[in-house]
């Protein structure tokens, strides 16, 4: 790496939009996780695809790594500069380029966050449904194949990105996908880059699939006598083909934390929170049928939210579950786990995990996107006690192994980053070698987010 | 290529399941299109993944091409042995390995056809929705990223394949995906192989996403005063967020052909055929709302099919549109086109195409999966008149160029094969080079379906 001449050329390109200020570097060495790494050597704030391509050309000429940065909400240290280099922060590439209502398409720059996009869309009758909780950037969400609470109804980033513009290692710019709803023309490069975590190229534009704002919304919470009853209720509801926009599980510890933090008075038992989108008659019918199914599994204490503001309060509470859980152990930090299993294995996976945590020295409330088989334990550690981190890492590792044993995956939505790299071989076997060959051919100098994804 | 020793080794492996009989070779040189190529040098009928892997090892040792073969229903000559070699016919690998009802998953071998799979599933309450019309094999459907009439409601093969087992060039076997509903673990190799047309490896097993058989079904046809009115009705219905399982467009020539062939008495105007799946109350509401929207665009002559057998007759008629159109010009052969455009450009694309065909010497009824922006002109040529084929190819080429100009794709569902290879650069630009690099790294000897997909 010939850093100094690279930074000179990048400064000539960007002026003061290339920063080596210690505070800026320190900000880009942070992560919403316990994972740490060194700071980058510089942070670039490009304005255009042309500037990103020029950065990639300079980086290639001097063997300098480039690491993409969106909103900094990664939970697995994706955007940390393991071997130094230049972080490319898309803060200033955050525009909505075009919205085509008839086609339900938006073309956006990567730095826009999902909340900013939805605020922009409010009067169009459309919205972008993928909702990971955090106000992540769309570029980052695509790079990690994010999903969240609404994936059961609307799919993940895999399903809602129609096309991309990518700057490859070396600076070549390609476009993937088209604006048609489907295509059989060639390898699905859009899908290859979605979830590639910046290791194959930098996303400089996204074509997104928008959805109509639902005419009617109905949401509810209800308590269950056991985790297994709640999860079995989810399975039965899915099997009845009742379309759900969201269905979330919170264990009793999570509910208690939410009650304390969001000033709610929910029953402190295993809880489901569910939301239906559709026509007024449709959501009414769905809600009634869900109520009947849930009652059959012993559900109690139904609270229905039909007004938009009541629904919003419910999901605000759900999205605040993470700070609520953190606040439940003052001074604690969290190790956030993320596994996803076949629905049939969900009850077993959740119960074994809960038992494992109960036998450990640390608390770990469990919540999840149960319609997808995806759940998280928020393992609370005392940062002053190294034994806690050791215990949390061991629990997280056993959760991942359990998920694989049950036919699932080590990460449903948070991605690999640095936190899960050691588990890739266990999940993919020889297929990990294929990923390595693809990485090597598209980034032969290993400059795009090095140290991630492949061996 | 050292053919003779390769065939000796393959015969030692497979016995009489390696055939060089002229009739077998000739059958595998055929295509459901005007595209022709030479016959393969042999046809292998493996029973297991292990045998396919052994074939790939032998092929690599002697530089012999391998070409996958499913049901032989490709419309673009995908499975033709351009440079000779061995066709791998999956006829004897057609089992359902496992159905997991709670997870709505089926694991199948590639040779099973969609109708055989759905017959197998009939009593499970589940079905596999992707319906390209032809009774294609699931392996072939995955390889071409097929879709068809139900894609507007259930998605394409891209959306309904959860994982694959693949034999790579050289014989290595990998598994992609998991049995969980989603994952963020690494590059999406499943999506990369779906649509790769056998050029990156041979699919030896698929994990499919099944859907619940709908509780209630309602279907209808109605006529429109113009193509534009029919297409605008589709756009409006989509924008109202009314969930449709299918919505198909037939122009008046197609309707006339279907009337003659299937003994129907539909109004010989531009026609929409639509189907709703859901609860009894849900489909009733959807059907009523569609009826209101359609009436606003001048729709007339509604025919509702609520009984299952009436729906079945309707879609049987639709699926028989191709032979019906062929029969409308006795002795004709067809050049079948396949483009897909953004919904907002659909009326323009269909009308310009119709005008172009009207100014040509050949007939070309138009029909399509309009909810996806996907339509076909069935260009009818007299095989004895070479001018007809020239005219058809020119029309097809202009259709593809028009689709690209309107932001669409050269193929919505039929794939590239030999027929569309010359248009890949126009659609993908520099991204085609990325496909070429991926092909070169995964198949460095160019043995997997050579002559397809890349330059």
């Amino acid at each position: 790496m010939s850093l100094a001449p690279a930074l000179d050329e990048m400064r000539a390109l960007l002026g003061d939009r290339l920063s080596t200020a210690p505070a800026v570097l320190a900000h880009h060495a942070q992560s919403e996780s316990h994972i740490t790494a060194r700071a980058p050597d510089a942070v670039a704030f490009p304005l255009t695809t042309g500037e990103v391509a020029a950065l990639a050309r300079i980086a290639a000429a001097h063997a300098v790594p480039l690491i993409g940065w969106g909103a900094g909400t990664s939970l697995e240290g994706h955007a940390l500069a393991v071997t130094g280099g230049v972080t490319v922060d898309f803060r200033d590439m955050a525009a909505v380029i075009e919205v085509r209502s008839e086609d339900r398409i938006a073309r956006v720059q990567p730095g826009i966050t999902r909340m900013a996009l939805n605020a922009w869309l409010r009067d169009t009758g459309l919205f972008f449904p993928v909702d990971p909780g955090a106000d992540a950037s769309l570029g980052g969400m695509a790079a990690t194949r994010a999903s969240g609470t609404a994936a059961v109804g609307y799919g993940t980033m895999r399903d809602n990105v129609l096309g991309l513009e990518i700057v490859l290692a070396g600076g070549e710019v390609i476009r993937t996908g088209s604006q048609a709803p489907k295509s059989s023309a060639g390898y699905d490069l859009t899908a290859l880059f979605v979830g590639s975590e910046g290791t194959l190229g930098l996303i400089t534009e996204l074509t997104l699939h928008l959805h109509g704002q639902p005419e009617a919304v109905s949401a509810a919470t209800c308590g269950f006598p056991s985790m297994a009853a709640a999860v079995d209720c989810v399975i039965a509801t899915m099997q009845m083909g009742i379309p759900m926009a969201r269905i979330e599980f919170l264990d009793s510890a999570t509910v208690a934390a939410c009650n304390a933090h969001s000033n709610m008075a929910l029953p402190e038992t295993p809880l489901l929170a569910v939301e239906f989108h559709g026509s007024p008659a449709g959501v009414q019918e769905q809600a009634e049928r869900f109520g009947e199914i849930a009652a059959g599994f012993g559900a109690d204490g139904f609270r229905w939210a039909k007004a938009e503001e009541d629904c919003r309060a419910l999901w605000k509470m759900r999205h605040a579950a993470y700070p609520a859980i953190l606040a439940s152990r003052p001074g604690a930090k969290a190790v956030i786990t993320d596994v996803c299993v076949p629905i049939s294995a969900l009850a077993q996976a959740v119960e074994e995990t809960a038992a494992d945590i109960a036998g450990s020295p640390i608390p770990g409330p469990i919540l999840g996107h149960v319609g997808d088989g995806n759940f998280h334990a928020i393992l609370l550690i005392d940062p002053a006690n190294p034994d806690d981190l050791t215990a949390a890492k061991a629990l997280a590792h056993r959760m991942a192994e359990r998920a694989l044993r049950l036919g699932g995956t080590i990460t449903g939505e948070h991605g690999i980053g640095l936190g899960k790299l050691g588990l890739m071989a266990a999940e993919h076997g020889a297929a990990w070698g294929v990923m390595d060959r693809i990485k090597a051919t598209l980034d032969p100098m290993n400059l795009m987010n090095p140290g991630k994804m492949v061996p």
Side-chain angles (χ1 to χ4, degrees), chain A residues 168-170 199 437-448:
Chain A
L168 298 173
T199 62
R437 285 154 75 179
I438 291 171
K439 165 75 174 177
T441 195
L442 297 187
D443 182 18
M445 296 174 72
N446 192 25
L447 298 180
M448 305 309 268

Side-chain angles (χ1 to χ4, degrees), chain A residues 124-417:
Chain A
T124 64
L126 299 167
F127 79 117
F128 186 71
V130 183
D131 175 2
D135 191 22
S137 71
L138 270 302
M141 287 166 64
T144 53
R145 208 183 297 126
S147 48
T149 56
V152 68
Y154 294 93
T156 72
M157 289 303 282
R158 180 187 200 274
D159 309 299
N160 289 288
V161 178
L162 270 174
L164 295 169
E165 180 187 74
I166 305 273
V167 172
L168 298 173
E172 191 176 25
V173 181
I174 63 166
R175 298 191 75 93
T176 73
S178 79
Q179 302 198 338
K182 68 182 188 185
S183 171
S184 285
Y187 304 154
D188 190 345
L189 297 184
T190 304
L192 179 65
F193 283 96
V194 170
S196 67
E197 303 190 357
T199 62
L200 300 178
L202 291 164
I203 296 169
T204 48
E205 187 187 310
L206 304 92
T207 303
L208 301 173
H209 176 36
L210 306 177
H211 297 257
Q213 290 170 10
E215 202 183 337
V217 171
S218 174
T221 55
C222 55
F224 286 84
S226 68
M227 274 187 189
V231 170
D232 286 342
C233 173
V234 175
I235 296 174
T237 311
M238 304 282 291
Q239 287 201 311
M240 290 295 288
I242 298 175
M244 290 173 286
R246 311 180 199 253
I247 184 158
E248 294 285 304
F249 169 78
L250 292 75
D251 75 357
S252 49
T254 301
V255 177
C258 289
N259 276 342
H261 187 262
S262 298
N263 202 18
M264 309 281 280
L266 295 164
E268 294 187 3
T269 64
L271 191 95
L272 289 181
V274 63
E275 187 170 275
F276 303 101
H277 290 180
S279 67
V283 301
Q284 172 85 17
E285 185 192 18
Q286 288 151 17
E288 280 167 14
R289 296 176 80 195
F290 173 74
E292 287 162 19
I293 295 168
F297 289 94
D300 204 3
F302 272 91
R303 291 166 176 243
W304 287 98
K306 284 180 188 167
E308 201 186 328
E309 64 208 48
D310 295 340
C311 291
R312 209 178 294 141
L314 172 63
W315 296 109
K316 197 173 160 192
M317 177 276 287
R318 165 63 187 84
H319 282 331
Y322 173 50
I325 289 168
L326 264 185
S328 73
R329 189 182 180 190
K333 296 239 176 245
V335 172
I336 303 179
T337 64
D338 169 42
V339 294
C340 189
V341 297
I343 299 288
S344 65
L346 184 58
Q348 182 185 348
V350 171
E351 291 196 321
E352 286 184 16
T353 300
D356 200 7
I357 294 169
S360 85
I362 55 172
I366 292 174
L367 71 171
H369 317 308
V370 279
D372 304 322
N374 185 198
F375 66 97
H376 314 290
I378 314 292
L379 304 171
L380 293 172
I381 59 171
D382 174 355
N385 181 354
D387 289 350
D388 274 15
L389 181 57
T390 305
K393 283 184 172 175
L395 281 166
H397 194 82
R398 286 196 295 275
M399 277 182 75
E401 286 180 328
R402 188 177 299 121
L404 292 178
R405 206 161 55 235
L406 295 170
T409 173
I410 55 175
T411 168
E413 55 183 8
H414 294 174
I416 299 302

